[in-house]
Amino acid sequence: MADDPLGCLAPFAGRWTGGGDGHYPTIDDFAYDETIEFATIPGKPFLMYVSRTRHRTEGRPLHTENGYLRRSGDDVELLVSQPTGFVEIQRARPEGGVLEFSTLTLERSPDAKPVHEVRRRFEVDGDVLVYDFWMAHADTPLTHHLHAELHRASA
């Protein structure tokens, strides 16, 4: 571990750009462009995580979130903070280039929207990062919300 502190996280390191599609029963479908960065800190067993999205045709900002992707024993944890008043901790057992996360903790501020559960899946295959996101909100059960395919812009 001392020689390679990132281990299974190494394939995720870098800046990724591309686009995705969103849908949910309570909103209109939409398309977006996204940049995700998993930034390294030399010698540390984690990656800093930043995601920024923009509406594909209008160019206006849609969503942003920050956090860390870190090793935790044989597992990987994703820690995310959102400006909408949410924090989440998700855990996955790495399988090849796939991280299928399940929620350990999801907390929200008193005035945040009623999100009850989220689930994420990241898959790296060479220079392609595909992710999916599911959400349970208000009276809507866990439902697929986002799918994106991003390409490595830099390592």
Side-chain angles (χ1 to χ4, degrees), residues 27-96:
I27 61 173
D28 292 334
D29 291 354
F30 60 97
Y32 61 95
D33 293 321
E34 182 166 18
T35 299
I36 288 179
E37 186 162 2
F38 289 110
T40 60
I41 305 291
K44 297 296 183 181
F46 62 83
L47 298 168
M48 291 191 310
Y49 164 72
V50 178
S51 168
R52 304 281 183 268
T53 63
R54 292 190 167 277
H55 191 278
R56 177 152 311 136
T57 56
E58 299 171 15
R60 62 184 163 81
L62 292 176
H63 181 73
T64 184
E65 57 188 35
N66 301 301
Y68 297 93
L69 187 63
R70 70 183 208 100
R71 292 171 58 181
S72 178
D74 291 335
D75 293 334
V76 171
E77 286 182 346
L78 178 64
L79 296 81
V80 177
S81 174
Q82 298 185 29
T84 53
F86 293 96
V87 293
E88 62 185 91
I89 300 173
Q90 303 231 354
R91 184 171 278 180
R93 177 68 41 104
E95 295 185 25

Side-chain angles (χ1 to χ4, degrees), residues 82-87 107-116 137:
Q82 298 185 29
T84 53
F86 293 96
V87 293
E107 294 291 333
R108 62 186 179 97
S109 68
D111 60 346
K113 292 180 180 179
V115 173
H116 308 293
H137 174 269

Side-chain angles (χ1 to χ4, degrees), residues 8-9 11-12 16 32 34-38 47 49-51 65 68-70 76-80 88 90-102 119-125 128-134 146-150:
C8 64
L9 301 181
F12 293 88
W16 305 81
Y32 61 95
E34 182 166 18
T35 299
I36 288 179
E37 186 162 2
F38 289 110
L47 298 168
Y49 164 72
V50 178
S51 168
E65 57 188 35
Y68 297 93
L69 187 63
R70 70 183 208 100
V76 171
E77 286 182 346
L78 178 64
L79 296 81
V80 177
E88 62 185 91
Q90 303 231 354
R91 184 171 278 180
R93 177 68 41 104
E95 295 185 25
V98 176
L99 296 172
E100 192 146 346
F101 290 98
S102 57
R119 191 174 65 144
R120 298 171 186 259
R121 183 181 192 278
F122 289 96
E123 180 174 358
V124 170
D125 185 4
V128 176
L129 171 66
V130 175
Y131 81 82
D132 287 277
F133 179 84
W134 294 259
L146 303 171
H147 173 82
E149 183 173 308
L150 310 177

Side-chain angles (χ1 to χ4, degrees), residues 14-28:
R15 186 170 176 267
W16 305 81
T17 60
D21 296 296
H23 55 272
Y24 206 70
T26 59
I27 61 173
D28 292 334

